[in-house]
Amino acid sequence: MKLKKLKHIFLASCVTAPFIGLSAIVNNSSNDEISSKLNEFDLIPLAKELNRQPKNKKVKMYMHNDVPYIGIKEFLDAVSKIVKNENIEYSFDVKKVVLTYKTDKEGKNSLKIVIDYDKQKITVSDYSFFISILRNHERGEEKLDIEFLKSENKNLTKEFEYDLRKYDIFILKDKSDLYLPQILLNQIFLNESNIQTYFNGEVLNLFRFVESLSGSGYFYLRQSIKNNETSIPSGLKEFQAKYFSFLLDHYYGIKFNEDETMNESYKGFIETYKNRITHTNSDIHYLTTREIIRDLDDSHTAYILDGYYSKNNEVLKHPIKSNKRITDRFNLGEKLGKLYFKSNIEYQNVFTPDGKTSVISFKAFEENSAVSIEKSLNEAKEKGIKNIIFNVTHNGGGYIGAAYEIMGFLSDKPFNVWTHNPLTGENKIETIKSKKTKYDFNYFVLTAPFSFSAGNIFPQLVRDNNLGKIIGYDTFGGSSAIGYYILPTGDIIQLSSNTVFTDKNFKTTEFGISPDYPFKENIETGAKNLYDLDYLQKFVNDINKESKKEPNKPINKPDTEPLPKPAEPSVPISRPHNNPEFNSDNGNIMIIIPDSGFTPNNIEKSQGKGRKAGIIAGISVGIASGVAALSSMSYFLVKKFRK
């Protein structure tokens, strides 16, 4: 969806005061209708770090067409343990709320949000507002052997807006405040927070994803008088359809189709499911929600947790089959697994017959990947090896920080990372330096149509920083961090988020990248060559000979194809998009490696030094728990969840 960028934000208010202890002066023409219909609900601090605070606190909400609405002041007060309310200035003039966050003591620099009742719009001066207001915000890679040197936003315009009229989602008002759906305020204000709000029909919980989606945490999150009800209110179903469109348009990072056409809005996509989402049979509503996730056809996207309404076991058992693109990737993965180096151990050197090249294979970017790889690089150096091939043909992703660390072996200079945020239009270049020791080899990255997520991002970083050559076949793709999102009925889903890693021209690599030097045969007949040491030896030696003939030619930009393009395989290979420019700040990001033996009890994975990350993904739903079961072959790029 294209969001209108505003050159200026016009702010007007009758009253300005700090949020704490605010008493707004209002127009007498406002009505008392909402205030008279507010109901009190318990506010429960489930997140451990809140230390059970606040205690015995209530929150007032208004049920509008079966949807819980909450005042802006009330919401900010409810999440005061998460956001720095003392630094937020609130003003209200009956039809408009202005929130100002001062970023310095003098108040010269400030970030603003305007909620306009007449226009039914929310205008944001700068996305950094949502990061600045958080009490506890840190990046997932901060404790690794890397330095973040600088970040440059290539866009001059930072303002953007949410036009709620497009989705028939309404801002309401009375004489005291403006009111919006609780779930919408949660998504907008706490999208960058690991602690969010969850309304289960009876109480409003303050919860941390990694805690509430592991062990018995989900039970306390959903525990409600609604657990015994099988019929979801019709108004809530209607709102779920509207909210789905809003969520995908503003927080789903994939905005282009595989045929390179831009998806202006997901409203049309959701409209095809509307009759089933709003069906009087709540089981059909539930299954349709899962089908929507499936039909996004995105390996980073998954259904995570059932909502708080009751569902019978037969419905929970109902299979939701993956689409062809996802299925073909897993089938190819099985084929490559059978051809993979028979005696190869992860991270160890496998030498070519001439003793000039070593192949170092790894199926995931793990916490200890850089340490393991360095041992092999030392051995290769001692043996006089000239070329290193990083084999990521069977790599499904991992920690993005591990990929950053590995970059230090290729260069002792800082390198760049390009990202895009489709919501704000921000194109950012971040400069990072790995603290790892450089090893002087000729570097190659071997790819295949199974290479996914970090296995897709890493080779592009190597290419764009001119540190090595990509050989093999097109990758599968996957270029977004993933986030967790709550639906109005309490379901929790996983989506490719607005943190989109791109190439240096800010073009998405979501649907894969092509190698600099592709193999001649198509993948169906040539897959065996990926693990044929004689073939790899000749292929690399031929490239090195050509490079010596043209020493000044960039290694990742041959003027002509040194080897013929592979023929089109019958197994679909995702092609990279030639998308219009775009890119995002990759703060607070990690790539997560799920354990193969996934159960609801091992959703968390130790990150060292007391850190943990959520390991939540998959396609099918666990019958007993309602938590999504994990595919052992999938790895996901996700936001870091702090313990």
Side-chain angles (χ1 to χ4, degrees):
M1 174 187 179
K2 289 184 178 178
L3 295 175
K4 181 180 178 182
K5 300 295 183 296
L6 306 179
K7 293 184 179 179
H8 304 284
I9 296 181
F10 298 94
L11 307 178
S13 63
C14 296
V15 177
T16 301
F19 179 78
I20 301 298
L22 176 68
S23 177
I25 299 174
V26 296
N27 190 308
N28 291 331
S29 63
S30 299
N31 65 72
D32 298 320
E33 183 179 357
I34 295 178
S35 297
S36 64
K37 295 181 179 180
L38 290 173
N39 295 312
E40 283 192 340
F41 299 89
D42 288 335
L43 181 67
I44 308 297
L46 292 180
K48 293 177 182 177
E49 71 186 64
L50 297 180
N51 197 27
R52 299 183 179 180
Q53 298 294 327
K55 289 183 178 180
N56 304 318
K57 189 174 179 63
K58 302 286 186 179
V59 60
K60 293 181 179 180
M61 292 192 288
Y62 164 59
M63 300 303 292
H64 176 69
N65 294 335
D66 301 320
V67 178
Y69 270 65
I70 188 170
I72 296 170
K73 283 190 298 180
E74 186 78 2
F75 178 80
L76 291 174
D77 182 57
V79 299
S80 60
K81 294 294 182 180
I82 306 172
V83 303
K84 295 178 280 191
N85 282 350
E86 64 274 13
N87 294 341
I88 300 175
E89 188 176 86
Y90 171 103
S91 65
F92 176 52
D93 70 348
V94 180
K95 294 185 177 182
K96 186 181 295 183
V97 166
V98 178
L99 300 175
T100 304
Y101 182 85
K102 296 181 179 179
T103 57
D104 54 39
K105 293 181 179 180
E106 291 75 23
K108 295 180 180 179
N109 299 313
S110 61
L111 305 169
K112 296 181 184 291
I113 293 182
V114 179
I115 300 95
D116 193 312
Y117 172 80
D118 284 341
K119 294 181 179 179
Q120 294 287 299
K121 290 182 179 181
I122 301 172
T123 303
V124 182
S125 68
D126 191 317
Y127 187 79
S128 62
F129 178 98
F130 303 117
I131 298 173
S132 299
I133 65 173
L134 297 179
R135 295 191 183 278
N136 185 16
H137 184 272
E138 66 179 23
R139 294 187 62 153
E141 315 96 331
E142 287 176 341
K143 296 181 180 180
L144 299 176
D145 282 341
I146 49 181
E147 296 178 90
F148 297 97
L149 302 181
K150 66 177 181 178
S151 180
E152 178 186 4
N153 182 8
K154 305 300 289 186
N155 289 40
L156 297 178
T157 303
K158 296 182 179 181
E159 295 90 351
F160 65 97
E161 67 182 22
Y162 304 89
D163 187 349
L164 301 184
R165 295 173 302 179
K166 294 180 180 179
Y167 307 94
D168 291 328
I169 297 175
F170 302 108
I171 300 173
L172 307 179
K173 72 177 179 69
D174 68 5
K175 69 176 184 179
S176 301
D177 205 351
L178 298 183
Y179 298 80
L180 291 92
Q182 169 269 326
I183 193 168
L184 186 139
L185 286 180
N186 176 81
Q187 180 58 45
I188 292 176
F189 281 90
L190 300 181
N191 178 54
E192 291 292 335
S193 174
N194 293 322
I195 301 178
Q196 296 191 14
T197 64
Y198 182 98
F199 183 64
N200 62 19
E202 183 177 10
V203 302
L204 185 66
N205 289 310
L206 302 176
F207 80 107
R208 176 177 286 279
F209 282 102
V210 71
E211 295 168 356
S212 292
L213 294 176
S214 61
S216 59
Y218 71 91
F219 172 80
Y220 298 103
L221 181 68
R222 299 185 306 181
Q223 188 177 21
S224 162
I225 56 175
K226 301 292 184 181
N227 295 162
N228 295 322
E229 296 184 15
T230 58
S231 180
I232 301 173
S234 60
L236 192 56
K237 293 177 185 175
E238 290 276 354
F239 182 71
Q240 180 125 319
K242 298 173 183 178
Y243 185 77
F244 236 135
S245 297
F246 169 85
L247 184 66
L248 294 177
D249 279 355
H250 294 88
Y251 291 97
Y252 186 46
I254 300 178
K255 301 302 183 190
F256 289 85
N257 302 310
E258 199 168 358
D259 62 1
E260 301 182 10
T261 59
M262 183 174 182
N263 190 350
E264 295 284 347
S265 174
Y266 281 90
K267 284 184 66 178
F269 171 72
I270 295 298
E271 188 67 26
T272 62
Y273 300 89
K274 185 175 180 180
N275 289 339
R276 286 182 287 154
I277 295 177
T278 59
H279 200 281
T280 54
N281 186 324
S282 293
D283 290 340
I284 293 177
H285 165 90
Y286 165 71
L287 292 174
T288 303
T289 299
R290 290 178 58 194
E291 288 172 4
I292 288 172
I293 300 304
R294 185 270 314 275
D295 291 344
L296 287 172
D297 208 16
D298 169 19
S299 289
H300 270 147
T301 293
Y303 186 90
I304 301 301
L305 183 71
D306 297 332
Y308 48 85
Y309 283 92
S310 178
K311 303 165 188 70
N312 66 63
N313 284 338
E314 291 304 314
V315 173
L316 292 174
K317 292 177 183 177
H318 187 81
I320 304 293
K321 296 182 179 179
S322 299
N323 285 341
K324 188 176 186 300
R325 178 172 177 261
I326 306 298
T327 301
D328 285 344
R329 174 177 177 260
F330 286 119
N331 290 339
L332 177 62
E334 291 182 0
K335 177 180 179 179
L336 295 182
K338 295 176 182 178
L339 296 171
Y340 209 69
F341 296 115
K342 304 301 180 184
S343 59
N344 181 56
I345 300 176
E346 292 285 272
Y347 303 112
Q348 290 196 1
N349 288 304
V350 176
F351 301 110
T352 55
D354 64 359
K356 294 181 180 179
T357 301
S358 171
V359 183
I360 300 176
S361 306
F362 47 106
K363 298 180 181 179
F365 287 84
E366 303 171 293
E367 285 181 280
N368 63 347
S369 287
V371 173
S372 299
I373 288 173
E374 187 163 21
K375 292 178 181 178
S376 292
L377 293 178
N378 275 319
E379 180 189 13
K381 180 180 179 181
E382 292 174 359
K383 291 182 177 294
I385 294 296
K386 302 298 182 184
N387 311 302
I388 295 293
I389 299 176
F390 289 130
N391 171 24
V392 296
T393 58
H394 216 249
N395 191 299
Y399 301 113
I400 190 62
Y404 294 164
E405 285 184 320
I406 293 169
M407 293 287 283
F409 300 139
L410 285 67
S411 175
D412 54 5
K413 302 292 191 299
F415 60 90
N416 289 331
V417 176
W418 294 264
T419 53
H420 169 69
N421 187 326
L423 174 62
T424 64
E426 291 177 317
N427 292 330
K428 288 191 177 181
I429 302 175
E430 185 163 34
T431 302
I432 301 172
K433 188 178 187 304
S434 171
K435 298 177 184 178
K436 297 298 182 183
T437 301
K438 177 187 175 184
Y439 288 81
D440 291 320
F441 297 105
N442 299 317
Y443 286 98
F444 301 83
V445 184
L446 182 63
T447 60
F450 188 82
S451 306
F452 175 65
S453 197
N456 173 64
I457 296 168
F458 173 69
Q460 186 65 43
L461 287 177
V462 171
R463 168 157 60 194
D464 281 344
N465 285 281
N466 210 38
L467 298 177
K469 308 174 179 72
I470 305 175
I471 62 175
Y473 296 99
D474 290 6
T475 61
F476 181 80
S479 63
S480 292
I482 65 170
Y484 301 104
Y485 303 89
I486 308 164
L487 297 180
T489 53
D491 307 79
I492 295 179
I493 61 175
Q494 173 180 286
L495 296 173
S496 292
S497 76
N498 280 331
T499 298
V500 183
F501 290 81
T502 72
D503 68 12
K504 64 182 179 182
N505 296 313
F506 298 114
K507 295 178 181 178
T508 183
T509 60
E510 176 60 40
F511 293 95
I513 62 173
S514 294
D516 301 311
Y517 297 89
F519 284 5
K520 293 180 180 180
E521 295 181 64
N522 63 41
I523 191 68
E524 283 192 322
T525 60
K528 62 183 183 299
N529 295 327
L530 293 168
Y531 314 112
D532 185 327
L533 293 174
D534 289 313
Y535 184 94
L536 293 174
Q537 172 181 292
K538 183 179 185 304
F539 198 86
V540 167
N541 289 343
D542 286 347
I543 294 174
N544 287 336
K545 288 177 183 178
E546 181 177 315
S547 297
K548 288 180 180 179
K549 293 179 183 178
E550 301 180 71
N552 296 322
K553 183 173 65 176
I555 60 176
N556 62 325
K557 284 189 175 181
D559 293 332
T560 58
E561 292 292 347
L563 295 172
K565 285 279 187 181
E568 288 295 325
S570 59
V571 177
I573 296 179
S574 303
R575 296 296 181 189
H577 280 299
N578 294 319
N579 294 340
E581 293 184 354
F582 77 67
N583 184 55
S584 134
D585 181 9
N586 63 333
N588 203 34
I589 301 301
M590 297 189 78
I591 299 181
I592 294 307
I593 306 173
D595 293 329
S596 59
F598 177 85
T599 68
N601 292 325
N602 67 1
I603 286 180
E604 297 186 0
K605 181 180 178 70
S606 173
Q607 301 296 301
K609 298 184 180 180
R611 296 184 297 129
K612 289 189 177 181
I615 305 175
I616 309 161
I619 302 300
S620 60
V621 174
I623 297 171
S625 66
V627 178
L630 181 68
S631 168
S632 62
M633 299 180 70
S634 297
Y635 301 92
F636 297 90
L637 177 66
V638 304
K639 291 187 177 180
K640 184 214 175 200
F641 290 92
R642 297 180 301 277
K643 182 177 179 181

